[in-house]
Amino acid sequence: MIVTLNGERLDRPVRGDSLAALLEDISAACPEDELITSIAVDGVILDEATLTDRMPHPVSPKVQLDFQSGKRGRVVAEALRSVAEQLSAAADDQRWAAERLDGGDVAGAVREVGEFVKIWQTCQQTISQASSLLGIDLSQQAVGDSTIAARLDSLATQLRALRETLIARDTVLLGDRLRCEAPELCDDWSATLYELADQAEAGALVRS
């Protein structure tokens, strides 16, 4: 078995009883501020589904595995910026949903709201995962004049209000929320995540 880390071949023995065990072994060889960002088998990078499926299985001694690592702060920053981009795009999507609602396409608008909610779930999951990777509670970080925790509380309130509007089938109010409140919320959070990403990459986050 050939194993490389960031292009350098490892000469020491490594575990092959499972990919998970090998990953643990290689991760231990990384500097404390880095983590494994990708695994390739015979030149093919494993996607998330394939990686999960292969984790419990033994590693063939005939393959080459190439591991890449990256700074934790940079990895977290990339993840936060990815969600920020999704939110920025979602602002326009909600305006479009309001137009569909105005045109009588209630079902289409509701589908857009469903996708809107999924993005917020991704946002919260990313913040939680980033906290675990960095060992820092990002919810306690200050961005602007409030903490991420306070912003998440406000977000939860606004999403509940949107849900209640859907349940009430108040299409006029729903249209107003989609046209005005939702894009503003997206833009605000997009800017927040970009700022948080910059702080993570610069190592400027404060440990609580």
Side-chain angles (χ1 to χ4, degrees), residues 49 65 73 75 77-78 80 82 92 114 119 122 138 143 153 162 180 182 198:
L65 292 104
V75 172
E78 290 175 355
L80 292 171
S82 175
D92 288 334
I119 291 175
T122 298
L138 294 187
V143 176
D153 287 342
L162 182 62
C180 303
D198 290 343

Side-chain angles (χ1 to χ4, degrees), residues 87-96 98 116 120 175-190:
L87 287 171
S88 183
D92 288 334
D93 290 341
Q94 301 321 298
R95 295 186 185 97
W96 181 65
F116 182 63
W120 290 113
D176 289 341
R177 291 192 186 283
L178 293 176
R179 188 176 292 104
C180 303
E181 294 179 14
E184 182 178 340
L185 188 63
C186 289
D187 291 340
D188 177 63
W189 267 93
S190 180

Side-chain angles (χ1 to χ4, degrees), residues 104-137:
D105 185 3
V106 177
V110 170
R111 282 195 298 272
E112 284 297 328
V113 172
E115 294 301 315
F116 182 63
V117 171
K118 288 180 183 178
I119 291 175
W120 290 113
Q121 292 171 340
T122 298
C123 175
Q124 294 178 72
Q125 289 168 359
T126 301
I127 290 173
S128 176
Q129 291 167 355
S131 295
S132 297
L133 288 176
L134 294 174
I136 298 174
D137 185 358

